[in-house]
Each structure stands twice: as C-alpha cells, then as structure tokens.
Amino acid sequence: MTAPPRLPSTPTTAPDREGGQREEGGLHLHPVRPAVLDHLVLRVADLERSTVFYRDVLGCTVEKWQPELGLLQLRAGSSLIDLVTLDGPLGREAGAGPAREGRNLDHFCLRLEHFDEPALRAHLAAHGVAASPSAQRYGAQGYGVSLYIQDPDGNSVELKAPRPG
C-alpha cells in the first residue's frame, strides 16, 4: 500500500485585494468554493449510441443540442453530461478519441435517488450492460453502496445509492 501524498499542513487561501486573508465568522474563505459539479464533457465515437445509453439506461433527459459544436447536453439531476462527437468541432480540438490505452477519464459517479439493487441490475441487464459487484465506497456524501458500469465508449460510471437518511 502506498502512502498518501504529503499535503501542506494548513490550507492556503488567496489574499484579498488589500493583501490580507478574507474572513467570515472567524473562518478563512477560499476564493474558489465549489458548490456542485455543473457538468462534465465526454468525447464519444457514436452520438446516437451514447445518447441511447445515457437517456434510456441511466435516465438522463436531453436538454440541448448544439449541432454547430457537435454537442448534446443531457440533464443528470442538477448537473449536465455533455456528449461531444469526435468528428465535431469540439471533438476534433482534443485529438484522438478514447481507446483502451487512453481514456477520457477514470470514472464519474452518479448518485441515484433510490438504489433497489435487484431492480437496477435487472434494468441494466435488459439493456445489455454488465455491472460490477456492489461495495461500500466513499464519495462526496460519505460511504454508500455503489457499483460500476461502462458506457459505450468505455468510460466507467459509478452508480451510487443515496446517503442513508
């Protein structure tokens, strides 16, 4: 097992305009405070195949099509999953597409509103999608049960149960 990387002992924040640290209620405020993941962009070889996967298998809804960019945006809760065609203007800018030796990313995780594992597995199987064994994994909301699947371009997608109430 490898040791975690060495991190600075205290978080750093950027100085305010006058050169001092900003404070609110005695707490230092970092100038960048992420609230939620807005969107992620996946480069895809076959837009129709990927649309069917994200819409029909994962329940995303089509939000916006921008043909001049080769960009289809799908709603996933409060976030978007953007699908960019490899042969479109945006896709061509990034070079070769994902392959076994060079992927778009390691994985991303979708937290589900409910997680009925037998029903979820049956749904995935009906669409020809294999799923990993489920396990407890740590994420933004703490530990929860999840499983992994792959989209048509080989991107790994983690499907995670909602945080226990």
Side-chain angles (χ1 to χ4, degrees), residues 129-145:
V129 177
S132 73
S134 60
Q136 288 285 325
R137 295 180 178 92
Y138 190 80
Q141 302 276 321
Y143 282 98
V145 67

Side-chain angles (χ1 to χ4, degrees), residues 13-23 28-29:
T13 59
D16 62 18
R17 291 180 200 192
E18 290 77 39
Q21 298 295 321
R22 285 184 267 173
E23 292 191 25
H28 290 285
L29 294 181

Side-chain angles (χ1 to χ4, degrees), residues 87-103:
D87 59 352
L90 292 178
R92 285 192 308 267
E93 287 178 9
R100 184 173 295 285
E101 296 301 319
R103 299 183 296 176

Side-chain angles (χ1 to χ4, degrees), residues 20-161:
Q21 298 295 321
R22 285 184 267 173
E23 292 191 25
E24 181 177 291
L27 299 175
H28 290 285
L29 294 181
H30 192 285
V32 179
R33 294 183 288 166
V36 67
L37 182 66
D38 184 82
H39 69 278
L40 66 96
V41 180
L42 296 174
R43 298 170 62 235
V44 301
D46 183 330
L47 183 62
E48 184 176 342
R49 178 184 68 177
S50 294
T51 301
V52 167
F53 178 82
Y54 284 97
R55 185 192 62 213
D56 298 351
V57 178
L58 296 184
C60 297
T61 57
V62 173
E63 175 120 347
K64 186 173 185 169
W65 167 236
Q66 297 182 59
E68 70 280 5
L69 298 174
L71 168 65
L72 179 69
Q73 297 177 293
L74 298 142
R75 174 71 50 192
S78 64
S79 302
L80 293 175
I81 297 173
D82 294 354
L83 303 179
V84 174
T85 59
L86 293 174
D87 59 352
L90 292 178
R92 285 192 308 267
E93 287 178 9
R100 184 173 295 285
E101 296 301 319
R103 299 183 296 176
N104 278 335
L105 71 155
D106 181 72
H107 79 277
F108 65 93
C109 178
L110 295 176
R111 179 169 294 282
L112 306 181
E113 290 183 10
H114 60 279
F115 193 92
D116 177 343
E117 189 169 347
L120 178 59
R121 287 185 179 281
H123 172 74
L124 294 170
H127 287 278
V129 177
S132 73
S134 60
Q136 288 285 325
R137 295 180 178 92
Y138 190 80
Q141 302 276 321
Y143 282 98
V145 67
S146 70
L147 55 82
Y148 287 91
I149 61 173
Q150 286 196 331
D151 78 2
D153 288 281
N155 296 302
S156 291
V157 181
E158 182 179 358
L159 302 177
K160 193 163 187 182

